[in-house]
Amino acid sequence: MTVDTSAASSATPAPAGGSGRHRVAIIGSGFGGLWATEALAKAPVDITMISETSHHLFQPLLYQVATGVLSEGEVAPATREVLKKQPNAMVLLGRVTDIDLAARTVTSLSPLGTTVTPYDTLIVAAGAGQSYFGNDHFSEFAPGMKSIDDALELRGRIFGSFELAELCTDPADAEEWLTFVVVGAGPTGVEMAGQISELAHRTLRRDFRRIDTTKARIILLDAAPAVLGVFGDHLSNIARKQLESIGVEVQLNVKVVGVDNTGVEVIDPDGTHRRIRSRCKVWAAGVSASPLGKQLAEQSGGEVDRAGRVKVNEDLTLPGHPEVFVVGDMMALNNLPGVAQVAMQGGKHAAGQITKRLRSEPAGQPFKYFDKGSMATISRFHAVCSVGNKIRLAGFTAWLMWLAVHVMYLVGFKNRFTTMIHWAVSFLFRGRSQRTTTRQQIVARTLMARLSATEEALNEARAARTSVGVSQGGVNGTGDAGEDRTEAVDHEAAHDTVAELSTAYGTTAEGAGEPKADDRETEPTSGQSSGGGS
């Protein structure tokens, strides 16, 4: 099914009052896309926001969803609810698969089929995903932290590890379940390691009878020589000392070369290979821009950097295409960091340029980023804050600033109110408001990926067998033999799919990415030591 969202289409109506007005398509509902949309609220334009998810994600607090502090709704309000009072904005659910710069259309894919959205101006704010530095197979055992799905899966893995350790009769088995490895010592990795330590040493220490959660190991790994390196040496050293004081083992200059179900393979600075046995791993190292960036560069003759970000003009437009703006994690300009503030300000800048053009005012002004500083929370009552080249804060004052800034940028009064309540429960007391986990959270991502791969293989087999059947039909005068073979392949592939899903949902969950109970002696494969790392 193909849907045309132009004003002439009857399948999908245009936004209210949209006939003949300037059409702005915005890809992504993150900081860049949402801030651009809201900045165009009073402009004489019709906006179509296309997003793969139905929510706006406040990614800086995603780790708190993973560790039971906040619910997913508090950091991911529905995009439609946020924009319900903006009549010139329409939201479409779909994953953008193609941008045609010549035809000025955006093609997106949803469960109902393909949607084609024409535009006069395009803002691309599709964000970035997790990068495993060429070792994507690591993701099966070490989820990243880029989506609500990731956070819920990690919540299930983290709390589930404590539960399964309680069942172990062998202390060595329990130790494996109580060893948590976080790869990446940037803000996300530091905050995640700190919160897991808080769980083990404060929240859960009275909840179990057979295990002592305070003996859990939380290991923070990074190939870099410093924790929070972008914050400068002073704050980096403070952060490391604070992490170590709450029980986090910081291991720097360590390269991760293998990740499997039961542990992590690393190379130390002296070249020594060793294995860290762990059932719960978190990947917080590296990002990779949306593949749409490469598509834009190929069509425009532009370039992308090593992270897949598009090199843009000073005014955030795509070279050779002034009607296309690229903002947030997808743009490469003046070494700007991939942080929320860059995306917010970039979205507002693009909206301002569009408004100037519609008013026939001079446009093309360069984007000027105002650095409001960087923050990271280490533990309760302790954070680090860097503003400009002079202000460096650490401790309780920085933590209060962190609270204020994050509350201010949360979308919606309800979310701000409930977030503050949950913070009080977690930080002033020992509770975690969101400890509910399900097995589905843990296995669903891997099962969906494998089911998709099976379906793709099935379709390829069908096409191949059909081709053989047509060929034989031309020789023999009948296509019956080809049809029989196609049915046989369908049956075989369907049987394999059912068997795989049954195994995944069985008692061992083998093959579903969920830890098994009997594979502690599994050796790393040769492919796991072939490169990559943090």
Side-chain angles (χ1 to χ4, degrees):
M1 183 180 81
T2 300
V3 179
D4 186 352
T5 61
S6 63
S9 172
S10 60
T12 303
S19 178
R21 300 212 299 178
H22 191 87
R23 300 166 299 181
V24 179
I26 298 178
I27 301 175
S29 60
F31 289 110
L34 186 62
W35 260 248
T37 301
E38 293 184 328
L40 290 169
K42 296 182 180 180
V45 299
D46 289 328
I47 305 167
T48 302
M49 175 185 282
I50 308 166
S51 177
E52 191 171 356
T53 67
S54 61
H55 55 262
H56 161 71
L57 178 59
F58 191 85
Q59 203 170 76
L61 290 178
L62 201 55
Y63 74 96
Q64 293 197 4
V65 176
T67 52
V69 178
L70 300 177
S71 71
E72 58 272 26
E74 286 159 338
V75 303
T79 311
R80 295 185 184 280
E81 183 179 7
V82 176
L83 299 175
K84 65 182 178 182
K85 295 183 180 180
Q86 187 171 334
N88 70 337
M90 177 172 69
V91 180
L92 294 180
L93 181 67
R95 177 174 57 87
V96 174
T97 57
D98 182 65
I99 300 173
D100 191 330
L101 297 180
R104 295 194 179 186
T105 61
V106 174
T107 302
S108 56
L109 183 65
S110 75
L112 294 183
T114 301
T115 302
V116 178
T117 303
Y119 65 83
D120 298 309
T121 299
L122 175 66
I123 299 177
V124 186
Q130 198 72 59
S131 172
Y132 289 86
F133 306 102
N135 295 280
D136 291 346
H137 55 286
F138 290 178
S139 66
E140 182 171 351
F141 309 104
M145 280 288 292
K146 293 298 180 183
S147 69
I148 289 294
D149 286 335
D150 292 338
L152 293 178
E153 178 179 353
L154 282 170
R155 183 196 291 177
R157 286 177 177 266
I158 292 168
F159 284 99
S161 292
F162 289 104
E163 294 292 341
L164 294 176
E166 178 83 346
L167 295 173
C168 294
T169 56
D170 185 341
D173 295 348
E175 182 179 354
E176 239 177 52
W177 288 108
L178 292 176
T179 299
F180 301 86
V181 175
V182 180
V183 182
T188 299
V190 166
E191 291 174 329
M192 174 61 79
Q195 281 302 308
I196 296 176
S197 180
E198 292 272 341
L199 274 176
H201 293 91
R202 293 187 68 254
T203 304
L204 303 178
R205 69 186 186 92
R206 297 178 180 175
D207 290 13
F208 295 89
R209 300 295 176 263
R210 300 176 65 179
I211 60 172
D212 181 358
T213 64
T214 64
K215 293 182 179 179
R217 294 182 66 196
I218 298 91
I219 303 172
L220 181 63
L221 303 176
D222 204 308
V227 171
L228 298 177
V230 296
F231 284 70
D233 292 342
H234 177 64
L235 291 182
S236 175
N237 291 331
I238 291 176
R240 177 171 183 170
K241 290 178 181 178
Q242 179 62 21
L243 284 168
E244 291 173 343
S245 72
I246 62 174
V248 177
E249 300 177 31
V250 180
Q251 301 181 16
L252 303 175
N253 295 305
V254 174
K255 186 178 181 180
V256 175
V257 294
V259 181
D260 60 29
N261 189 50
T262 60
V264 178
E265 298 284 339
V266 301
I267 299 178
D268 287 324
D270 61 1
T272 303
H273 285 252
R274 63 186 169 92
R275 180 174 177 81
I276 302 172
R277 293 191 175 276
S278 168
R279 292 287 184 162
C280 185
K281 285 81 65 177
V282 182
W283 193 271
V287 295
S288 177
S290 166
L292 293 177
K294 183 179 180 182
Q295 193 176 127
L296 289 175
E298 289 175 348
Q299 292 188 52
S300 65
E303 300 178 63
V304 294
D305 64 10
R306 293 179 61 185
R309 299 179 300 178
V310 185
K311 296 184 179 181
V312 297
N313 297 323
E314 292 290 325
D315 62 350
L316 305 187
T317 58
L318 187 67
H321 290 270
E323 78 283 0
V324 179
F325 293 87
V326 183
V327 303
D329 292 340
M330 285 194 63
M331 73 172 188
L333 177 67
N334 301 329
N335 293 317
L336 291 174
V339 296
Q341 277 297 329
V342 173
M344 293 176 188
Q345 295 178 34
K348 287 184 177 180
H349 177 82
Q353 292 293 299
I354 295 170
T355 302
K356 288 178 182 292
R357 293 176 183 179
L358 293 175
R359 293 174 179 172
S360 299
E361 297 177 359
Q365 291 82 6
F367 171 59
K368 295 182 179 179
Y369 172 58
F370 176 63
D371 188 358
K372 297 183 179 180
S374 301
M375 298 180 174
T377 178
I378 312 300
S379 60
R380 69 181 192 126
F381 308 145
H382 194 106
V384 293
C385 174
S386 172
V387 182
N389 296 322
K390 296 183 178 180
I391 301 177
R392 298 286 187 273
L393 298 174
F396 185 67
T397 301
W399 185 77
L400 290 177
M401 292 178 62
W402 177 88
L403 287 179
V405 168
H406 284 73
V407 167
M408 180 174 64
Y409 282 111
L410 274 174
V411 176
F413 171 79
K414 178 182 67 175
N415 291 333
R416 296 188 185 105
F417 180 73
T418 56
T419 294
M420 292 178 68
I421 291 176
H422 289 158
W423 279 348
V425 170
S426 299
F427 298 148
L428 299 180
F429 306 100
R430 298 179 184 273
R432 294 287 164 120
S433 303
Q434 304 295 325
R435 286 173 55 174
T436 302
T437 65
T438 67
R439 190 158 181 248
Q440 180 177 321
Q441 292 173 351
I442 302 173
V443 303
R445 176 178 60 92
T446 305
L447 286 178
M448 290 173 65
R450 294 192 175 187
L451 179 59
S452 178
T454 302
E455 290 176 343
E456 184 176 347
L458 175 59
N459 290 333
E460 291 177 356
R462 284 175 175 169
R465 292 301 187 182
T466 300
S467 176
V468 171
V470 171
S471 175
Q472 291 182 345
V475 175
N476 301 327
T478 175
D480 292 344
E483 291 176 2
D484 291 342
R485 287 187 176 89
T486 301
E487 290 178 2
V489 170
D490 287 356
H491 178 76
E492 181 180 353
H495 181 271
D496 290 345
T497 303
V498 171
E500 184 172 3
L501 293 178
S502 298
T503 301
Y505 277 109
T507 56
T508 64
E510 184 175 359
E514 186 177 9
K516 297 180 289 182
D518 57 354
D519 59 356
R520 288 182 299 279
E521 300 303 319
T522 301
E523 293 298 326
T525 63
S526 58
Q528 290 169 335
S529 58
S530 60
S534 59

